[in-house]
Amino acid sequence: MKFKLSASFILFSLLVFSQENYTISGTVKDFSNGELVFGASVFLENTSNGSITNAYGFYSITAPEGTYNIVVSYLGYVTEKQVVILDKNQSIAFELKEDTTSLDEVVITAEESEKANIRDPQMSVAVIKSTTIKQIPAVLGEVDLVKSIQLLPGVTNNGEGSNGFNVRGGAVDQNLVLLDEAIIFNESHLFGFFSVFNADVVKDIKLYKGNIPSNFGGRVSSVLDIRQKDGNSKDFELTGGIGLISSRLAAEGPMFNNKGSFIVAGRSSYAHLFLKLANEDNSAYFYDFNAKANYEINQNNRLYLSGYFGRDVLNFDDSFTNSYGNSTFNLRWNHIFNDKLFSNLSFIYGNYNYQLKLGFIGLDWTSSIKNFNAKYDLKYYLNNKTTIDFGLSTIHYNFNPGDVKPLDDDSAINENILDKKRALESGLYGQIEHKLTDKLNVQVGLRLSMFNRLGGQPISTYLNDQPVVYNDELGIYEEGERTGEIDYAKNESIADFYNFEPRLGLAYQLNETSSVKLGFSRIAQYLHLLSNTANATPLDVWTPSGSFIDPQMANQYSAGYFKDLQGGRFSIETEVYYKTVDNRIDYIDGSNLIANNNIETQILQGQSRAYGLEFLFRKNKGKFTGWLAYTLSKSEQQTPGGSAGGPGINKGDWYNTPFDRTHDISLTGSYLLTKKWSLSGNFIFQTGRPVTYPVGQYEYEGLSIANYDSRNANRLPAYNRLDLAATYKPNRKPQGKWKGEWVFSLYNVYNRKNAASISFGQNLETGVNEATRTAIFGIVPSITYNFKF
C-alpha cells in the first residue's frame, strides 16, 4: 500500500511538472471610447494567476496548460468573462462596458485604483482619477489638480497665492512633476491661483511620496506622474466649461480609420478684458494648450505624440510686466516584443522660460531652462510571481540664468548676460517585484545615477577654495576673495557625480483585508532652486550641482498599516516616515540672488530632516464618499559654517524649514442628493508657516535697524478654510448626446482672511511700529457650466 501511494504521488508529480506553461497577453480598453485602461485586474478564475494592466493597458499572464475562465474587472465597469483553452501562447484584447446599473441605484463608488493595494509592496503612493478631482470645490470655479493633492496626508501648500506644493516637509524644487513624462518646472498659473493641468485631458495622477520606484530619479521628496487621455478612438466628442474667470474646450475623436485617436484642449482666462473695459491698465491672464495623438501601426507597435504649451502674462500699468510659461513635446513608441516583454521609447523636449520688464528702472530680464530627454523603459513578465522593470535615460540641460538688458535708450541699466550652464544627467535602473510567499511580496530596485556638469563658461576660483567666508569682526558671512577663473570648453567636464540609489519595498498580508508594509529609498537630486523667499515665484532660478554645490542626497524610511473594512466600504491607511537630506542649501543673511553670476558666494550647505505620522480614512461606497486626512510632522534644517568658518546659520542649531507644519487636517466629501443634485465640500486646517519676525530695533547713525529672532522661530497664524459646492444636472433626453451640468461653489465660506504674509513697518502718521497682515482671498463665489457631447 505504501508503495502504491508513493508511485501514485510520483506519477502525479511527473504529470504536473511535465505540463507546459503558456502565456495570455493583450490590452484592456474602454468600450465607449477606446481609451486604454490602466489598473484593470485580469486573472484566471479559481487560481492565483493574475495581472494588473500597465499605464498602456497591457497585461500578461502565464499558467499551465488547461481550460480556464479569464476574468477582467475594473470598478465602474461590467466584469468580463471568457473561456480560454490555454494550449498555446495567445493574445486577447478586452473592451469593458460602463456599469449603468450602479447609476440607476443612485449610488457612487470611489475609484478602486485610488485605494491602497493590500498586496502591493509599493507604498507612500496616492492615486487620483480626474473624476474625483472634478468633485472637489476649487477657487474661481476651476477644478485644480495641485490643490486636490494638497488634501492628501503629507502634502501641504505654502499659503494662498503660492506656487507648487510641499511633500513630507520638502521644498517645491524637491518634487519631480511630469506631464506625459515631460518635466514641468512651474506647475502654476497666476502665482498659484490655477494649475497648469487641464482636468478635461488628464487621465490619471500618481503621487509618490516615498519608496519611489527606481525608474524615477532626480528629486528627493516626491514624483507627481500625470498622464493625459489618449482621445476617443470611436466617436468625435467635445468637452468644455464656461466660468466667470476662465473657460475651456476639448475635442477628441478617431483618426486613420479608427487605428488612432487625438485629443486637443485649450483654456484661457479673460478677467483682464473686463479691466480694460473699465479703463484699467493692469491685467493678469493665462492660456494653455494640450494636444495628443496616437496611431496603432499594428498589434505590437503604437506611436504617441503629445505636447503642452502654456503662458502667463501679468502687467501693471506698464511699469511691471512678467511673462512665463512651460512648453513640452514628447514622441513615444510602444513596442511589444512578445507576450512577456513590453517596451516604451520616449524622446522629450521641455522649455521653461520667463521674462521680467521693469519700466520704472528700464530693466528687461529673460531667463530659461531647456531639457532634452531620451528614455527607454522595459517591463518583463517573467512568471506569475515575478516582474522585472529596467531601462535607462539621459537628460541634457541648458540653463540660461538671465540676460539683463536695458529696456530703452534712456535706461540706466547696463547689459549683463549671465553665464550659460550645461549639464548631462543619466540613469540606469532595474527593479524586481517578486511574490516570495502567498503573504509576502517584495520590490527591490537599484538606480545608478550619473551627473556631469559641462563647460562652456568660466568658473571663478577663490582664496583657500572658499566662495563664502565668515567675517569675525562684523559677525557676518560674506563673499570669499576671488583669485581668478578657469575657462572650461563647451564639452569639457567641470564636475562629475555618481550615486547608487537602492530602493526596497515589502508588503506582508496579515489577512484578506489588511497588511503591513516597509519601504526604503535613497535618491540623489542634482538640480537646485535658488530662492530666498518662502514661496516659489517665476523669477526663481534653477542651477545645477558643480564645483561648489554638491547634489542633495536623501534617505527615507517608511512603515505602514493598511486595512479594508466592511468589504471595502471603508479603508484605513497609516504611515510613519523618517527622511534625511544631505547637502541641502540655505542662504546667508542678506544674500543677493538676483542676476548673480557667482551664486556659490551666497549659500551654505547643511542637512535637513523630516519625520511624521500620516493617517487616511476613506469612505469608498454609498451616496456619501470622501476621506479624512491627518498629518503630524516635523521638518527642520541645520546649516553649520563648515569650512567657511563661523557658527553657521542660526548659530549652527536646528531650525524649522519654511515647510514645517505640525498639524495638517483635511476633510473631503461628496454626497449624491438626487439624480440631479450632488453636494461636495472640503475643510482644511494647517499650523501656520514658519517665518522670522523682528523682536526689537536699535539706532545706528540715525538709522533704525531691526533686530530679528532666530531663523523661522515664529509662525503665521493657523490656516483654515471651508469650501462648498453644488452640482446640478438637468434632465437629459434618453437618446440625447448633450450632457450639461451647473456647478455652484463657494471658496472660503466663512470669509477667513488667512495670512499670506505679515510685514512690519512704521506708521508714517503716528510713528508707531505696526504689523500688517496680507491676505489673498476672502469668500469667492463662482458659477461654471460644464458640457459634453
Side-chain angles (χ1 to χ4, degrees), residues 118-119 438-440 507-516:
I118 297 297
R119 298 175 177 86
D438 289 339
K439 292 189 174 184
L440 182 60
Y508 183 77
Q509 189 175 351
L510 301 173
N511 50 49
E512 287 299 318
T513 62
S514 63
S515 67
V516 292

Side-chain angles (χ1 to χ4, degrees), residues 421-439:
K421 301 176 183 179
R422 299 171 182 84
L424 188 67
E425 181 177 356
S426 303
L428 179 67
Y429 77 90
Q431 180 171 284
I432 298 175
E433 185 171 331
H434 181 65
K435 187 176 182 180
L436 289 173
T437 69
D438 289 339
K439 292 189 174 184

Side-chain angles (χ1 to χ4, degrees), residues 19 64 83 106 123 137 152 177 182 203 214 231 273 370 455 457 475 580 614 619 643 659 737 776:
Q19 281 184 297
V83 177
V106 198
M123 64 182 300
L152 298 171
V177 181
K203 185 176 183 178
S214 59
L273 299 178
K370 298 178 182 179
Q457 65 172 110
T580 62
E614 298 174 357
K619 186 176 186 299
S643 58
F659 330 107
K737 291 188 175 182
I776 303 297

Side-chain angles (χ1 to χ4, degrees), residues 384-400:
N384 284 309
K385 291 186 176 182
T386 308
T387 57
I388 303 172
D389 294 271
F390 56 100
L392 52 88
S393 66
T394 184
I395 308 174
H396 186 273
Y397 294 102
N398 283 318
F399 301 87
N400 176 13

